[in-house]
Amino acid sequence: MSDIDEKQKRIDEILVAIPTARDERELENLRIQAIGKKGANTELLSMLGSMSIEERKHYGPRFNANTANVTSAVSLRKGQLAEEAMNARLASERIDVTLPPRPEPRGTIHPVSQVLDEVTAIFADLGFAVAEGPDIEFDDYNFTKLNIPPDHPARQMHDTFYVARQADGSQHVLRTHTSPVQVRTMLKKKPPIRIVAPGRTYRVDSDATHSPMFHQYEGLVVDENISLGHLKWVLEEFYKAFFEVDSVELRARPSYFPFTEPSVEWDLRCDRSVQGQIKFGTGNDWLELAGSGMVHPRVLSMCGIDPKRYSGFAFGGGVDRLAMLKYGIPDIRPFFESDLRWLKHFGFAALDVPTLDGGLSR
Ligand code: FA5
């Protein structure tokens, strides 16, 4: 058999193999063997140069036809392989819409997380930005810049967890309240300021209504001409939205916090005449809700704000207490015991994000 016949035979075999190539790689391999750089037909074509005119007339069209036949067979098979791959993918990714839905998610949202989200949603609606601070706080921010200098008797009220003093002599504490976020905000930002700071707080304290780790929310507004009237309106709006009632009645009591002057504590009118139930807006009982006051001018100055030009109010209360009141939870300790039965009973559906429009706690 001549060299030409042998190569032609190889090309014919390739033309037979192409329609059954199993994948793109095998197909490409066959194409290269026929019409690649060193393919059988490429070699045939290169022989044309040394042939006589007669031979060239005879073989030329045949070799060119080889190229055309291989190219069109490869392209046909390529299309078929692509279609087969798509069909296989469609079959494997098919969704059976008649199958039952996935089981309900089993995790629940902790009542404290729920109330933190509710508080944030309400204050966001009133135009307050959310501010944060660290749990391990400078003694200076937790106390001194809040007008509680070292040795001030008010430090005793806080039952503080102190952190070992640093090598440079600086003192840190586990923050005893969210009020240092006021300091952090005022040091960074100039008025107008309107923030809410929810977060974790710590005190050496433990009984049915006190936990060593608990949560507070803090509000701060600083601007020109801010008064106690503004504070009362904000708190009324907040408690109406939080307890989901149309009206509330707040009672102001004089109080003392070193960082506010005057200081006011707020009670909410409620009805506890039915055992185990509490109603807001009616009744003859009063429920302690929040500490507050006008930001002390000395605190404003220590935080770089001119007290002659600006005034502000601040308030703060317990988040865990709010959760206990709103959801009828009698003891604070199980909040942090991770008992799954308790969590299931008092937890909230994971996908119900509280919003004022969609409902806070439904
Ligand atoms: C303060 O902590 C002030 N920083 C609040 C404040 C802010 C006043 C801004 C003025 C301006 P007080 O120590 O009263 O205040 O604590 C506030 C609330 O935290 C309490 O009413 C209570 O609801 C909650 N709380 C305090 N200690 C605990 C505790 N150990 N466990 C749970 N809740 C607590």
Side-chain angles (χ1 to χ4, degrees):
M1 197 188 274
S2 75
D3 195 20
I4 292 179
D5 290 340
E6 241 172 61
K7 289 198 164 57
Q8 186 59 51
K9 188 169 162 251
R10 178 70 198 120
I11 292 164
D12 292 339
E13 283 166 3
I14 290 171
L15 280 167
V16 171
I18 286 174
T20 55
R22 271 165 306 179
D23 53 34
E24 290 242 6
R25 232 171 94 189
E26 191 178 324
L27 187 62
E28 179 62 3
N29 226 343
L30 291 168
R31 189 191 69 78
I32 290 168
Q33 285 177 38
I35 58 173
K37 240 186 199 167
K38 290 186 182 153
N41 198 54
T42 314
E43 285 178 357
L44 286 178
L45 285 165
S46 72
M47 288 178 186
L48 285 174
S50 54
M51 286 182 183
S52 67
I53 291 180
E54 287 309 308
E55 282 173 324
R56 233 184 276 167
K57 270 194 186 157
H58 176 67
Y59 286 114
R62 279 182 62 187
F63 297 169
N64 284 331
N66 283 341
T67 309
N69 290 341
V70 170
T71 308
S72 73
V74 164
S75 139
L76 183 70
R77 184 64 188 143
K78 221 180 207 163
Q80 290 169 344
L81 284 172
E83 198 180 322
E84 280 168 22
M86 176 58 85
N87 287 340
R89 201 169 146 203
L90 286 175
S92 72
E93 290 179 7
R94 214 171 113 243
I95 296 172
D96 184 350
V97 291
T98 63
L99 284 174
R102 280 185 206 175
E104 281 284 296
R106 291 184 42 211
T108 55
I109 300 295
H110 192 285
V112 167
S113 305
Q114 170 76 19
V115 167
L116 283 170
D117 286 349
E118 292 178 19
V119 169
T120 313
I122 297 168
F123 281 110
D125 194 65
L126 290 171
F128 284 61
V130 175
E132 285 182 320
D135 290 11
I136 300 174
E137 184 55 278
F138 298 119
D139 179 281
D140 185 43
Y141 289 6
N142 195 83
F143 292 123
T144 312
K145 284 208 166 46
L146 287 170
N147 201 26
I148 317 178
D151 304 326
H152 190 287
R155 286 202 178 206
Q156 254 83 71
M157 282 157 50
H158 279 229
D159 305 312
T160 311
F161 285 108
Y162 283 92
V163 177
R165 205 174 270 281
Q166 303 287 292
D168 65 1
S170 62
Q171 177 69 63
H172 290 78
V173 298
L174 295 190
R175 65 176 179 186
T176 56
H177 50 175
T178 40
S179 301
V181 183
Q182 289 187 37
V183 175
R184 286 180 172 273
T185 307
M186 289 189 279
L187 286 174
K188 257 197 331 240
K189 216 174 147 326
K190 294 294 143 233
I193 290 171
R194 210 186 299 158
I195 57 119
V196 62
R200 243 177 251 146
T201 43
Y202 305 83
R203 290 185 197 175
V204 186
D205 214 350
S206 184
D207 60 35
T209 52
H210 294 85
S211 159
M213 192 280 288
F214 58 105
H215 301 79
Q216 286 191 343
Y217 60 98
E218 184 91 9
L220 172 70
V221 171
V222 183
D223 204 345
E224 289 175 355
N225 304 317
I226 293 292
S227 73
L228 273 181
H230 296 125
L231 166 64
K232 184 167 189 245
W233 181 85
V234 165
L235 290 179
E236 273 169 1
E237 289 305 304
F238 169 59
Y239 292 119
K240 269 196 301 195
F242 181 75
F243 291 114
E244 301 177 58
V245 290
D246 292 334
S247 70
V248 290
E249 189 183 333
L250 287 179
R251 179 174 77 176
R253 263 184 304 113
S255 182
Y256 172 72
F257 298 101
F259 36 95
T260 47
E261 180 58 39
S263 301
V264 183
E265 275 192 80
W266 298 93
D267 303 331
L268 187 65
R269 185 186 282 282
C270 65
D271 180 356
R272 284 196 267 205
S273 55
V274 181
Q275 175 93 35
Q277 265 190 33
I278 183 160
K279 272 197 212 146
F280 300 101
T282 60
N284 292 317
D285 278 328
W286 294 92
L287 196 77
E288 247 180 75
L289 274 184
S292 73
M294 299 305 290
V295 182
H296 198 296
R298 216 173 302 154
V299 173
L300 290 174
S301 313
M302 277 190 276
C303 295
I305 291 178
D306 179 4
K308 290 204 191 75
R309 178 165 174 203
Y310 295 106
S311 55
F313 65 76
F315 54 88
V319 170
D320 321 77
R321 294 279 168 80
L322 282 183
M324 290 166 80
L325 281 172
K326 184 165 176 180
Y327 297 114
I329 304 169
D331 191 324
I332 197 171
R333 288 166 293 201
F335 274 78
F336 309 113
E337 283 169 357
S338 303
D339 179 338
L340 284 179
R341 284 166 310 173
W342 187 92
L343 289 169
K344 207 166 165 198
H345 182 72
F346 287 112
F348 291 80
L351 300 177
D352 278 351
V353 179
T355 63
L356 287 186
D357 299 337
L360 283 177
S361 55
R362 269 170 271 275

